[in-house]
């Protein structure tokens, strides 16, 4: 049976990204702002597009398909999801459900996985936004329990203090907006790669290039400069990928796009490969 998330539940959270006024859900087919009549239609898959013109992100449907398969079928990020779910704190009293915003959600697999955990009897209600329409189309076709929108995090289409948790997983951050969107006791969780993230790929693909090494120092410094009460947790694990999964990984990581073709070809011929995931999970309380 085809399900679509109960849109009316989310309608009061929205504000017009153009003029900042509240929005009416107009029987679920579109959102209309109450002040100026700016209108944003819902697609038949249920997402809303808040961009007035499309943005080229460099991330296309092929990438999102590969990422979806690697996360969904290979469980590539399962340990990461468990770690984040364990870190999430949510209001201990009050409403049954708490709210998570995934900023830069791509094709939605991270948010959907995180909304699937049992939080001591509480459920998480998820909203995902991304600049990439391809990502949001895929998310809204695949996951029917969350709310998806094509939107710019710099002009997020939500009122102030709507979310208990804001996630930013391998995605750019806008700290002023994150601060505005979080409830007063809200929590920001940002995931950035560490030096050993996909290290096998780096070292195999680049025999002599600065891309062989990586440091997240600048990203971590920006986080601590912008977020009060922060701490971080390191997570490192290794997954063995089969040939199909290696192909998906190569399709989804920008690391492979500009690599020498002969190295990419060699990697594609491998039957399996051990791949390291090494990340910092940065946590900030408002
Ligand atoms: Zn408006």
């Amino acid at each position: 049976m085809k399900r679509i998330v109960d849109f009316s539940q989310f309608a009061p959270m929205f504000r017009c990204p153009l003029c900042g006024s509240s929005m009416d859900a107009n029987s679920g087919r579109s959102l209309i702002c109450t002040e100026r009549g700016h209108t944003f239609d819902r697609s038949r898959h249920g997402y809303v597009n808040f961009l007035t013109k499309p943005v080229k992100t460099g991330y296309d449907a092929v990438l999102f398909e590969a990422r979806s398969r690697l996360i969904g079928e290979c469980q590539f990020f399962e340990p990461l999801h468990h770690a984040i779910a364990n870190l999430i704190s949510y209001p201990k009293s009050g409403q049954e459900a708490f709210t998570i915003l995934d900023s830069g959600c791509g094709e939605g697999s991270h948010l959907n996985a995180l909304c699937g955990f049992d939080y001591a009897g509480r459920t998480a209600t998820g909203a995902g936004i991304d600049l990439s329409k391809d990502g949001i189309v895929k998310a809204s076709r695949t996951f029917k329990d969350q709310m998806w929108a094509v939107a710019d995090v710099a002009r997020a289409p939500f009122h102030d203090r709507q979310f208990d948790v804001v996630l930013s997983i391998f995605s750019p951050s806008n700290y002023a907006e994150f601060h505005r969107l979080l409830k007063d006791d809200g929590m920001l969780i940002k995931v950035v790669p560490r030096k050993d993230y996909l290290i096998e790929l780096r070292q195999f693909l680049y025999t002599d290039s600065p891309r062989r090494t990586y440091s997240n120092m600048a990203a971590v410094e920006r986080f601590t400069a912008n977020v009060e009460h922060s701490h971080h947790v390191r997570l490192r694990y290794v997954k063995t990928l089969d040939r199909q999964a290696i192909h998906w990984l190569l399709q989804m990581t920008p690391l492979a796009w500009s690599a020498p073709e002969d190295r990419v070809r060699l990697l594609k011929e491998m039957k399996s490969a051990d791949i390291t995931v090494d990340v910092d999970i940065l946590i900030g309380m408002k």
Side-chain angles (χ1 to χ4, degrees):
M1 196 177 82
K2 201 173 170 189
R3 280 181 305 123
I4 269 205
V5 66
D6 177 10
F7 196 62
S8 60
Q9 175 192 350
F10 290 98
M13 300 175 85
F14 289 113
R15 77 170 199 186
C16 179
L18 300 179
C19 70
S21 71
S22 295
M23 308 202 78
D24 282 338
N26 185 32
S27 67
R29 283 193 297 276
S30 60
L31 286 166
I32 301 175
C33 89
T34 51
E35 302 252 325
R36 312 266 300 272
H38 296 126
T39 303
F40 303 93
D41 290 332
R42 267 184 101 196
S43 83
R44 63 196 168 90
H45 295 294
Y47 71 87
V48 184
N49 189 343
F50 285 100
L51 295 184
T52 44
K53 50 179 182 251
V55 172
K56 276 225 175 311
T57 60
Y59 298 124
D60 64 7
V62 173
L63 173 149
F64 289 120
E65 181 64 29
R67 194 175 111 165
S68 169
R69 306 286 287 271
L70 192 71
I71 298 177
E73 290 174 34
C74 306
Q75 301 287 301
F76 189 59
F77 290 116
E78 192 195 26
L80 174 63
H81 296 152
H82 272 274
I84 295 173
N86 284 331
L87 288 165
I88 284 180
S89 61
Y90 41 85
K92 299 287 183 282
S93 58
Q95 78 273 38
E96 275 294 296
F98 65 100
T99 48
I100 302 179
L101 172 69
D102 187 358
S103 170
C105 64
E107 42 64 59
S109 293
H110 293 305
L111 180 63
N112 180 69
L114 286 164
C115 289
F117 285 87
D118 176 36
Y119 295 94
R122 295 289 184 80
T123 53
T125 301
I129 60 171
D130 202 286
L131 271 179
S132 167
K133 188 176 164 186
D134 282 334
I136 293 299
V137 167
K138 171 83 180 151
S140 61
R141 281 181 179 165
T142 316
F143 305 118
K144 301 299 183 189
D145 292 332
Q146 290 84 36
M147 198 287 304
W148 307 103
V150 186
D152 187 350
V153 65
R155 299 169 71 88
F158 303 103
H159 286 296
D160 299 355
R161 299 187 182 87
Q162 292 298 312
F163 297 97
D164 297 292
V165 179
V166 170
L167 299 171
S168 173
I169 302 177
F170 304 129
S171 182
S173 292
N174 184 310
Y175 292 106
E177 275 295 82
F178 290 168
H179 198 264
R180 182 182 75 76
L181 294 165
L182 277 172
K183 293 181 184 174
D184 287 337
D185 53 358
M187 179 185 207
L188 171 63
I189 299 180
K190 180 172 174 67
V191 178
V192 291
R194 274 186 64 96
K195 64 178 177 57
D196 288 348
Y197 183 71
L198 310 184
I199 183 89
E200 299 83 0
L201 224 54
R202 283 177 194 286
Q203 299 201 333
F204 190 90
L205 292 175
Y206 297 97
T207 47
D208 179 25
S209 157
R211 301 197 73 171
R212 276 175 72 82
T213 57
Y214 173 78
S215 162
N216 69 12
M217 210 164 72
V220 173
E221 276 173 8
R222 265 198 306 279
F223 186 89
T224 47
N226 280 284
V227 177
E228 286 181 63
H229 315 298
S230 65
H231 65 286
H232 70 268
V233 174
R234 183 184 185 183
L235 175 71
R236 191 181 190 284
Y237 59 90
V238 177
K239 280 268 180 187
T240 302
L241 300 186
D242 64 13
R243 182 178 291 183
Q244 176 63 75
I246 294 169
H247 282 225
W248 290 331
L249 180 63
L250 288 169
Q251 281 175 323
M252 75 162 229
T253 173
L255 202 57
W257 303 344
S258 53
E261 273 178 40
D262 57 327
R263 303 301 290 171
V264 174
R265 204 177 320 117
L266 275 176
L267 196 54
K268 281 183 172 171
E269 285 166 7
M270 286 188 179
K271 283 203 181 68
S272 74
D274 287 343
I275 302 289
T276 301
V277 173
D278 181 26
V279 297
D280 278 322
I281 305 172
L282 312 173
I283 303 122
M285 305 301 293
K286 193 168 169 182

